C-alpha cells in the first residue's frame, strides 16, 4: 500500500534541470542565428565593393597590350593616361567624379567605347618611374571587414568603411620601345 500513496509526476529538481538544459539550447540557437545573419550581411556588403583584383588586372592588361604611354592633364588638373598602340585603339584612363573611366579612341579621335572601369574611387595617379615603367596608384573606400565571426555591438564595431590604396608597376609591350616591337 505504501507505493500506491506516492503521486506520479516530476520532481521540482527534474523540472529545474530540464529548464536549464532548454535555456542553454535556446541561447546556442540564438547565437548561431545571429552569427549567420551577420555573415550574410557581410557577404552581401562585400558584393557592392569594387572587385579590385579585376580592376587591376584590366589596367595591367591594357598597359601591357599597349606599345607605349603618355600622361596628360585634364582642365581640372587630374591625370589622364593615354595608352598608345593598343590593338583596340588608343585607350584612355581618367578620373571622372568618383569613377575611373576607360575610353577607347580611334586615330580620328572618335570615341569607340567608354565604361566605368571602377566606381568609388578616391584618388588615382599614374606617374612614370622611368621612360619605360609606369606606376599606377588607385585609392578607394571599401567596407571594413570584421575581425571575427562573433556579432558585436555597434559601438564596438569601429568604422563602417576604410580607405585602401593599391599600386602596380607595369611596363608596356616591349618595355615601351615603340608601337611595334
Amino acid at each position: 500500500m505504501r507505493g500506491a500513496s506516492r503521486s506520479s509526476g516530476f520532481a521540482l529538481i527534474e523540472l529545474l534541470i530540464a529548464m536549464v538544459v532548454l535555456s542553454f539550447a535556446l541561447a546556442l540557437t540564438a547565437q548561431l542565428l545571429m552569427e549567420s545573419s551577420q555573415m550574410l550581411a557581410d557577404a552581401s556588403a562585400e558584393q557592392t565593393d569594387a572587385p579590385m583584383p579585376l580592376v587591376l588586372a584590366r589596367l595591367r592588361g591594357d598597359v601591357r597590350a599597349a606599345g607605349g604611354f603618355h600622361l596628360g592633364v585634364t582642365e581640372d588638373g587630374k591625370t589622364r593616361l593615354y595608352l598608345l598602340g593598343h590593338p583596340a585603339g588608343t585607350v584612355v584612363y581618367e578620373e571622372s567624379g568618383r569613377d575611373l573611366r576607360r575610353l577607347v579612341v580611334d586615330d580620328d579621335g572618335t570615341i569607340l567605347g567608354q565604361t566605368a572601369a571602377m566606381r568609388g574611387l578616391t584618388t588615382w595617379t599614374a606617374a612614370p618611374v622611368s621612360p619605360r615603367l609606369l606606376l599606377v596608384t588607385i585609392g578607394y573606400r571599401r567596407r571594413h571587414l570584421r575581425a571575427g565571426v562573433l556579432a558585436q555591438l555597434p559601438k564596438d564595431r569601429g568604422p563602417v568603411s576604410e580607405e585602401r590604396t593599391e599600386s602596380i608597376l607595369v611596363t608596356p609591350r616591349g618595355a615601351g620601345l615603340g608601337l611595334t616591337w
Side-chain angles (χ1 to χ4, degrees), residues 60-82:
R60 183 181 295 114
D62 280 342
V63 173
R64 285 185 177 167
F69 63 88
H70 171 72
L71 295 173
V73 179
T74 61
E75 298 83 30
D76 53 355
K78 296 181 180 175
T79 304
R80 184 179 283 165
L81 172 64
Y82 296 93

Side-chain angles (χ1 to χ4, degrees), residues 38 42 46 142-152 156-159 162:
Q38 185 65 43
D42 287 346
E46 286 176 2
R142 70 170 226 169
R143 182 174 169 83
H144 181 71
L145 299 177
R146 296 181 307 131
V149 295
L150 296 177
Q152 297 173 337
D156 297 332
R157 288 186 193 145
E162 62 185 353

Side-chain angles (χ1 to χ4, degrees), residues 105-143:
V105 182
D106 67 1
D107 294 335
D108 301 330
T110 307
I111 296 176
L112 301 175
Q114 63 179 340
T115 185
M118 181 187 162
R119 299 189 191 280
L121 186 73
T122 56
T123 60
W124 181 75
T125 59
V129 175
S130 72
R132 298 180 185 140
L133 189 61
L134 180 67
L135 173 66
V136 178
T137 304
I138 298 175
Y140 62 100
R141 291 201 72 76
R142 70 170 226 169
R143 182 174 169 83

Side-chain angles (χ1 to χ4, degrees), residues 8-23:
S8 62
F10 295 105
L12 183 59
I13 190 73
E14 291 171 335
L15 285 175
L16 286 174
I17 291 173
M19 296 280 277
V20 167
V21 169
L22 181 64
S23 65

